[in-house]
Amino acid sequence: MAAARGVSAGGMTPDLQSKPQLAPGCRLNEASQQQRVLLMPEKALRLSGPSLQIVERCDGKRTVREIIAELQKSYDQAEPQKVESDILGYLTLLNDQRAVDFVAGD
């Protein structure tokens, strides 16, 4: 399966059936559980809260739709559409920064 690098060209929304995974050269450090760092070539991004929960789920096994559903349950006090919108926006940002790739779903 080839990574769909062009998914976010121009800020396009990721396909809900695609499976996000960390891009080659990127990894999540094993620091404290409260705050972790996403290490990328030539930069690092501190993660906590929802951003960390999203990145931890970018394992190439879960689809974007599954990640959204899991986090909508975790944040059940928030409007489901807002949670979905925030997740899609964050995944698009990570893809634009070459931190996450999307693999075509089955």
Side-chain angles (χ1 to χ4, degrees):
M1 287 189 270
R5 169 58 61 200
V7 167
S8 72
M12 291 173 50
T13 303
D15 180 344
L16 293 178
Q17 294 304 318
S18 65
K19 297 178 180 180
Q21 64 185 14
L22 294 180
C26 297
R27 64 184 174 88
L28 198 53
N29 80 338
E30 296 298 327
S32 84
Q33 284 300 101
Q34 297 300 332
Q35 185 167 13
R36 296 177 71 186
V37 177
L38 177 59
L39 303 171
M40 302 174 275
E42 301 184 30
K43 64 176 139 178
L45 182 63
R46 284 191 195 137
L47 302 173
S48 61
S51 61
L52 176 58
Q53 292 176 329
I54 293 168
V55 171
E56 285 177 330
R57 287 169 169 78
C58 292
D59 56 10
K61 297 175 184 163
R62 294 175 177 95
T63 65
V64 171
R65 185 182 309 277
E66 290 169 337
I67 292 170
I68 291 168
E70 288 176 17
L71 292 177
Q72 283 173 330
K73 288 178 188 171
S74 296
Y75 294 95
D76 61 350
Q77 298 298 312
E79 182 181 327
Q81 188 58 42
K82 173 76 169 126
V83 173
E84 179 176 339
S85 168
D86 289 350
I87 292 169
L88 291 173
Y90 193 63
L91 288 172
T92 298
L93 175 71
L94 290 173
N95 184 250
D96 289 345
Q97 292 183 4
R98 300 188 163 294
V100 169
D101 287 330
F102 298 97
V103 177
D106 298 332

